[in-house]
């Protein structure tokens, strides 16, 4: 029996050809780009926007154009750690130095450790970390995982609904197909009231990626075991590693990443200025290692 061949992504050749055609159509529809917009709109990026809109060209074009407009004003690639470091002093959000079992970057969030009151600065801090997580993805991987620890959380220290809405908007509309899973670890019963409001901000695809995990629930903990190496997963999330956030050490890592990203971006932009489409490569990421036992 005749069998159609698969490419390296596991797609049937016909499907792959159709996707390539769609990406070319989207590139043509967006029109000529230069500088950072050209760097941003690589093939992998176009594919993510098409996937987010179920390969609808018009919707994908609108979504991507809105992102390019947002990036031109918010300028996420220009945010540097020293500008947002004060937001991270308590470890309320930080990038883990381990990947999950699929090579996805991991962002750890502890909403009860909120330490500031400026929604704009909080969003800049989160966007910085989203960009940093993307910078540190394993080769061939495009997505990240969120681990959200609800220890000590209450409605009194929860983010305003307006900020939660804006966060969902940025993630869904400007980082489509970047989130693989979001684990809400052991949320208190009172969180249900907050969740009833927040879930209406989420599109169906994002909603499906949100997983509630309870340490006494075998089924939900099994999902954690299938996603993470328990030897490097912090004990706060059911793992076997004792880890405490060290702001000074994390700041050192972020400063190193800032220098690495600035050099990488300059190389990409120089290709754009010379009229060449930038290659789809990522800067050399640090080898993920288990955090030291503390």
């Amino acid at each position: 029996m005749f069998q159609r061949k698969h490419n390296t992504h596991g797609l049937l050749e016909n499907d792959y050809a159709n996707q390539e055609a769609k990406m070319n159509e989207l590139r043509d529809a967006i029109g000529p780009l230069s500088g950072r917009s050209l760097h941003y709109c690589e093939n992998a990026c176009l594919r993510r926007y098409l996937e987010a809109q179920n390969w609808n060209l018009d919707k994908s074009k609108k979504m991507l154009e809105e992102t390019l407009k947002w990036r031109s004003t918010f300028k996420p690639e220009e945010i540097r750690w020293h500008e947002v470091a004060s937001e991270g002093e308590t470890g309320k959000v930080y990038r883990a130095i381990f990947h999950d079992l699929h090579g996805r970057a991991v962002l750890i969030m502890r909403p009860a450790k909120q330490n500031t009151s400026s929604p704009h600065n909080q969003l800049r801090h989160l966007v910085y970390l989203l960009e940093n997580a993307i910078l540190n993805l394993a080769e061939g991987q495009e997505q990240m995982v969120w681990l959200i620890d609800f220890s000590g959380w209450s409605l009194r220290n929860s983010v305003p609904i307006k900020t939660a809405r804006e966060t969902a908007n940025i993630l869904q509309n400007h980082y489509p197909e970047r989130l693989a899973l979001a684990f809400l670890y052991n949320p208190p019963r009172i969180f249900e009231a907050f969740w009833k409001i927040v879930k209406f901000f989420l599109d169906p695809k994002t909603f499906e990626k949100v997983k509630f995990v309870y340490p006494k629930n075998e089924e939900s903990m099994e999902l954690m075991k299938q996603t993470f190496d328990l030897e490097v997963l912090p004990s706060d999330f059911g793992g076997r590693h004792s880890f405490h956030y060290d702001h000074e050490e994390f700041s050192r890592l972020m400063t190193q990443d800032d220098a690495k990203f600035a050099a990488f971006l300059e190389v990409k932009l120089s290709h754009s200025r010379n009229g060449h489409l930038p290659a789809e490569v990522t800067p050399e990421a640090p080898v993920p290692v288990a955090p030291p036992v503390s």
Side-chain angles (χ1 to χ4, degrees):
M1 181 182 293
F2 174 74
Q3 294 183 338
R4 287 179 289 176
K5 294 182 180 179
H6 292 67
N7 69 0
T8 55
H9 296 283
L11 294 170
L12 291 169
E13 281 189 344
N14 286 353
D15 294 336
Y16 182 74
N18 289 338
Q19 290 190 8
E20 286 288 309
K22 277 286 188 180
M23 287 187 285
N24 289 333
E25 286 182 47
L26 179 56
R27 191 183 300 282
D28 290 341
I30 292 294
L33 298 171
S34 62
R36 289 173 178 170
S37 293
L38 178 60
H39 156 62
Y40 183 74
C41 292
E42 299 173 336
N43 283 343
C45 170
L46 300 180
R47 183 183 292 108
R48 285 192 299 273
Y49 279 81
L50 285 162
E51 286 180 349
Q53 297 296 342
N54 295 315
W55 297 86
N56 181 293
L57 183 62
D58 291 337
K59 290 182 179 180
S60 301
K61 176 178 179 287
K62 181 181 178 182
M63 187 183 196
L64 181 52
E65 287 176 335
E66 289 176 351
T67 291
L68 293 177
K69 182 179 179 180
W70 173 78
R71 292 184 74 89
S72 71
T73 56
F74 203 93
K75 300 185 186 304
E77 70 282 345
E78 292 185 12
I79 305 172
R80 294 295 176 261
W81 175 247
H82 70 271
E83 300 172 357
V84 296
S86 60
E87 290 286 340
E89 288 179 352
T90 59
K92 65 185 179 187
V93 189
Y94 61 93
R95 176 179 61 79
I97 59 173
F98 61 87
H99 290 159
D100 79 347
L101 294 175
H102 304 281
R104 298 179 292 214
V106 179
L107 285 187
I108 292 179
M109 305 178 178
R110 303 183 190 277
K113 293 184 178 292
Q114 182 58 263
N115 62 323
T116 64
S117 58
S118 168
H120 178 68
N121 290 339
Q122 291 166 5
L123 287 172
R124 288 188 85 236
H125 177 234
L126 177 61
V127 167
Y128 171 87
L129 290 169
L130 290 174
E131 294 283 321
N132 182 266
I134 293 168
L135 176 72
N136 285 281
L137 287 169
E139 184 177 357
Q141 183 55 258
E142 297 183 22
Q143 295 187 306
M144 67 186 77
V145 175
W146 288 9
L147 278 174
I148 307 174
D149 174 22
F150 280 88
S151 299
W153 185 90
S154 69
L155 289 176
R156 287 183 303 173
N157 57 30
S158 64
V159 299
I161 294 297
K162 183 179 179 181
T163 303
R165 182 197 294 269
E166 183 62 19
T167 300
N169 173 63
I170 288 174
L171 177 66
Q172 295 175 159
N173 297 328
H174 304 315
Y175 293 89
E177 297 302 311
R178 285 298 193 182
L179 180 67
L181 292 167
F183 292 98
L184 278 56
Y185 192 83
N186 205 23
R189 184 174 295 275
I190 192 65
F191 178 74
E192 292 178 9
F194 186 75
W195 177 245
K196 284 180 181 178
I197 300 174
V198 172
K199 69 181 182 180
F200 287 109
F201 307 154
L202 305 180
D203 62 40
K205 282 191 174 184
T206 303
F207 182 80
E208 287 298 317
K209 295 173 181 179
V210 177
K211 307 297 180 184
F212 284 73
V213 177
Y214 299 94
K216 294 183 180 180
N217 182 295
E218 278 189 33
E219 186 176 345
S220 61
M221 288 306 297
E222 184 60 33
L223 182 57
M224 294 288 282
K225 294 176 184 177
Q226 293 172 5
T227 308
F228 300 99
D229 178 354
L230 297 186
E231 296 302 321
V232 300
L233 184 68
S235 56
D236 295 350
F237 295 98
R240 302 193 185 101
H241 212 287
S242 175
F243 174 74
H244 299 283
Y245 176 76
D246 184 327
H247 185 62
E248 187 173 317
E249 174 63 16
F250 187 73
S251 293
R252 185 183 67 80
L253 292 174
M254 294 301 98
T255 301
Q256 289 177 352
D257 277 0
D258 282 352
K260 179 175 62 177
F261 180 65
F264 164 71
L265 187 58
E266 179 55 34
V267 170
K268 299 279 278 191
L269 292 177
S270 68
H271 282 296
S272 301
R273 288 192 291 267
N274 293 331
H276 301 296
L277 193 65
E280 289 188 54
V281 295
T282 55
E284 183 180 353
V287 177
V289 295
V293 177
S294 56

